Amino acid sequence: NISEINKEEDVTFEILMTGLDSELMMPFYHDGKTTSAAKSTQKSGISELFPGAKVDDYVFEPYGYSMNGLLGSGYFTIHVTPQENCSFASFETNIILKDYTALAAKVLDCFRPKRFILTLMGNRASMQNLQKAAKGDNAKPGLAVDSLCDRGFQAEDDILLKFEHYDLIFLQFRPKSTGKIKQPSSMEHDNAAAKGSPETSVR
């Protein structure tokens, strides 16, 4: 029954991140002595995502982190692989918010990824309410894309999928291209002239 499916709001918001900041990954390494899941959750800033939530967290040996949190009837979960050569973190929640931009910014601050993917899936009632609160020329339901791009990213993929009862927004972000061509400094120019190039060297 379509009316029953859309009677209550239902949203799943997810962020998949790669190329994480190596310094911010330190809380997710187990030193075998002083490391505790509670300290890792606090030091990483994860505890500030949903203050007051009930949290079940764990730091693996020698590295890795996982947590599940409950806030009212909603959940959020985070999993982290901190190794520099393959760093990855995922965040997911079904907690209902009027907008997910501020939450996305907080999560990004915890990990400072080089690239990330956002997905927001909701039923018709949810997406309509999120659309009403959308602000900005490039705003999506529940997400101010320009605000996220102001953090040094640009949207590489922007996809909207419509299913029978749900809509899915898919956004992939990569580092923003400056579009500037580096001009050689006077020292670089002098060095190049001294070495000579096929076009300028005197034979």
Side-chain angles (χ1 to χ4, degrees):
N1 189 311
I2 296 178
S3 61
E4 287 298 320
I5 291 175
N6 290 289
K7 189 174 182 179
E8 296 183 1
E9 292 188 74
D10 183 16
V11 172
T12 300
F13 178 60
E14 187 174 17
I15 310 178
L16 305 175
M17 298 160 279
T18 57
L20 313 180
D21 186 290
S22 57
E23 290 188 9
L24 296 181
M25 293 301 98
M26 296 310 297
F28 307 121
Y29 283 83
H30 201 299
D31 63 12
K33 298 178 181 179
T34 61
T35 301
S36 73
K39 288 182 179 179
S40 297
T41 300
Q42 184 175 15
K43 288 181 179 179
S44 63
I46 291 173
S47 60
E48 299 302 314
L49 297 179
F50 291 105
K54 295 181 180 179
V55 172
D56 181 17
D57 43 17
Y58 191 83
V59 179
F60 298 92
E61 294 187 41
Y63 42 69
Y65 173 87
S66 180
M67 67 80 62
N68 295 295
L70 293 175
L71 186 65
S73 60
Y75 74 85
F76 65 105
T77 182
I78 296 174
H79 305 285
V80 182
T81 299
Q83 302 96 297
E84 189 169 2
N85 64 332
C86 59
S87 60
F88 172 81
S90 65
F91 169 87
E92 181 182 315
T93 186
N94 72 340
I95 295 173
I96 302 298
L97 301 174
K98 292 182 179 179
D99 185 86
Y100 289 85
T101 308
L103 174 60
K106 287 183 179 181
V107 174
L108 294 175
D109 284 342
C110 290
F111 303 103
R112 292 182 196 159
K114 292 180 180 177
R115 290 175 174 267
F116 63 97
I117 292 172
L118 295 181
T119 66
L120 192 154
M121 187 170 187
N123 62 1
R124 295 286 186 268
S126 302
M127 300 305 273
Q128 288 173 1
N129 288 335
L130 290 172
Q131 183 63 61
K132 292 177 183 177
K135 297 179 181 179
D137 296 335
N138 196 24
K140 307 293 181 185
L143 290 169
V145 178
D146 288 344
S147 176
L148 296 173
C149 289
D150 287 343
R151 303 172 67 86
F153 295 96
Q154 65 185 54
E156 193 171 34
D157 291 307
D158 181 349
I159 300 170
L160 171 63
L161 297 176
K162 288 184 173 291
F163 301 96
E164 185 176 2
H165 305 302
Y166 284 77
D167 292 346
L168 171 67
I169 296 172
F170 177 98
L171 294 165
Q172 183 170 201
F173 292 83
R174 64 177 176 83
K176 185 177 293 183
S177 174
T178 61
K180 296 180 180 179
I181 299 175
K182 181 184 177 183
Q183 298 296 329
S185 65
S186 58
M187 182 177 293
E188 289 174 331
H189 185 275
D190 292 343
N191 288 339
K195 292 179 180 179
S197 64
E199 293 80 10
T200 60
S201 60
V202 178
R203 298 182 184 279

